[in-house]
């Protein structure tokens, strides 16, 4: 008899023994607890986008804060600037969470994707034993063969009076599976562990911790240590970068700071400092 998959239904989900399915029951037992942030965790085998699904559910249902939706495979995943990407089944962590920081001023909600980046980097570093860095605003970088590679990304979307934050991390992706040469994975970066169950537990616990600190501080990134921690782990600071801005504009300068609003501050050749709140950042020169 074919063993059941992670969702409890029979199927050939064990065909790639290097990529066992996540254990939804064990994850819920470890993460869903009285008084904790995560109140439910749903695991699906395949979907278009966990972010799209959770945004729709937040609109249609009376869904409380702390819902987590995890997928073994996404077929229409979206990144920043509406970029599309796919990955083999069970090759990474693909999940979204619903947050409702109603006691935090909306003007400070822009810190949520940066906060998530810090939490993901912290959780992965602890469990996988691999050095990670953040590219502003929320790309996760690892080092593969002496080169920085993107191994993950974060997308935050408004959902009524809340925010859905989606995370995608390449865990066991092999070199011949990379979608672009600039991509990487924890496995290619020499991670001590690519077991996705403890990785996901570590990331969600780290996110709960950082979110709790930020929320308790009323969203003040300096008071809760978020701004300092983000800057310390940001590979963009100290580099000359090109910011590709909306409206086909671009700006070149040295990234010198992340301000209180989460914007990247560029010192330009004209001798002025300009904050960038949205756009694509290209690293032009190492720090």
């Amino acid at each position: 008899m074919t063993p059941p998959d992670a969702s409890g239904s029979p199927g050939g989900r064990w065909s790639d023994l290097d990529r066992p399915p996540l254990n939804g029951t064990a994850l819920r037992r470890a993460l869903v607890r009285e008084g904790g942030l995560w109140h439910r965790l749903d695991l699906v085998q395949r979907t278009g986008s966990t972010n799209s699904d959770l945004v729709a559910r937040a609109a249609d249902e009376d869904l409380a804060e702390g819902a987590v939706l995890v997928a073994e495979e996404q077929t229409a995943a979206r990144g920043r600037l509406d970029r599309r990407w796919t990955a083999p089944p069970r090759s990474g962590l693909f999940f979204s969470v619903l947050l409702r920081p109603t006691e935090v001023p909306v003007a400070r909600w822009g810190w949520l994707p940066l906060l998530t980046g810090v939490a993901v980097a912290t959780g992965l570093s602890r469990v996988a034993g691999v050095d990670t860095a953040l590219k502003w605003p929320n790309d996760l970088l690892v080092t593969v063969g002496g080169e920085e590679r993107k191994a993950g990304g974060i997308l935050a979307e408004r959902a009524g009076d809340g925010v859905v934050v989606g995370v995608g991390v390449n865990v066991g992706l092999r070199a011949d599976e990379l979608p672009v040469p600039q991509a990487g994975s924890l496995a290619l970066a020499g991670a001590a562990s690519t077991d996705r169950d403890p990785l996901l537990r570590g990331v969600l616990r780290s996110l709960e911790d950082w979110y709790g600190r930020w929320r308790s501080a009323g969203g003040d990134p300096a008071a809760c240590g978020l701004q300092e921690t983000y800057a310390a782990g940001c590979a963009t600071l100290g580099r000359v970068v090109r910011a590709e801005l909306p409206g086909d504009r671009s700006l070149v300068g040295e990234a010198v700071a992340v301000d209180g609003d989460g914007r990247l501050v560029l010192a330009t050749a004209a001798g002025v400092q300009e904050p960038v709140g949205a756009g694509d950042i290209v690293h032009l020169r190492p720090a």
Side-chain angles (χ1 to χ4, degrees):
M1 179 178 176
T2 303
D5 62 25
S7 65
S9 60
R13 299 296 179 179
W14 289 91
S15 57
D16 187 343
L17 295 180
D18 289 333
R19 291 173 176 163
L22 290 165
N23 187 327
T25 301
L27 287 167
R28 281 186 284 272
R29 187 182 303 121
L31 293 164
V32 177
R33 56 186 175 80
E34 187 70 29
L37 174 62
W38 312 122
H39 78 94
R40 65 180 289 177
L41 185 149
D42 296 314
L43 173 62
V44 298
Q45 290 303 319
R46 193 169 188 259
T47 190
S49 162
T50 57
N51 251 42
S52 295
D53 292 351
L54 203 51
V55 167
R57 283 172 52 186
D60 296 341
E61 307 172 23
D62 186 19
L63 199 60
E65 177 179 58
V68 183
L69 177 61
V70 186
E72 294 283 29
E73 179 185 12
Q74 292 188 108
T75 59
R78 294 174 294 113
R80 290 183 62 250
L81 308 179
D82 207 30
R83 293 185 176 123
R84 306 284 169 165
W85 59 270
T86 59
R90 305 190 306 280
S91 65
L93 299 178
F94 317 121
F95 67 93
S96 297
V97 302
L98 174 62
L99 303 174
R100 298 188 189 276
T102 51
E103 69 275 34
V104 174
V106 173
R108 289 176 168 170
W109 287 19
W111 271 97
L112 279 172
L114 283 74
L115 179 154
T116 304
V118 167
V120 171
T122 302
L124 292 178
S125 296
R126 286 174 180 165
V127 179
V130 63
D131 288 335
T132 57
L134 296 167
K135 177 186 174 187
W136 187 89
N138 44 33
D139 286 347
L140 182 77
L141 304 179
V142 296
T143 302
V144 179
E147 296 182 352
E148 280 183 347
R149 303 278 191 89
K150 178 179 175 179
I154 295 157
L155 176 67
E157 298 181 272
R158 284 295 298 267
D161 64 348
V163 179
V164 169
V165 183
V167 176
V169 179
N170 295 332
V171 176
L173 211 63
R174 299 182 278 262
D176 62 348
E177 296 174 319
L178 295 176
V180 293
Q182 298 80 20
S185 68
L186 299 186
L188 293 174
S193 172
T194 55
D195 186 338
R196 294 180 304 135
D197 276 274
L199 288 172
L200 183 56
R201 290 197 303 269
V203 165
L204 286 173
R205 284 170 176 157
S206 179
L207 180 52
E208 180 176 13
D209 176 49
W210 273 107
Y211 180 66
R213 291 192 222 177
W214 176 77
R215 189 168 55 178
S216 295
D220 186 330
C224 67
L226 176 60
Q227 187 174 1
E228 180 182 5
T229 303
Y230 183 89
C234 182
T236 303
L237 293 180
R239 292 177 120 124
V240 175
V241 304
R242 181 176 67 251
E244 297 176 349
L245 306 173
D248 293 325
R249 297 185 302 116
S250 65
L251 180 68
V252 174
E254 181 183 354
V256 295
V258 175
D259 70 13
D261 294 320
R263 299 176 300 179
L264 186 67
V265 180
L266 301 187
T268 70
V272 298
Q273 294 193 351
E274 296 200 25
V276 174
D280 205 17
I281 298 297
V282 179
H283 290 175
L284 299 180
R285 194 170 70 210

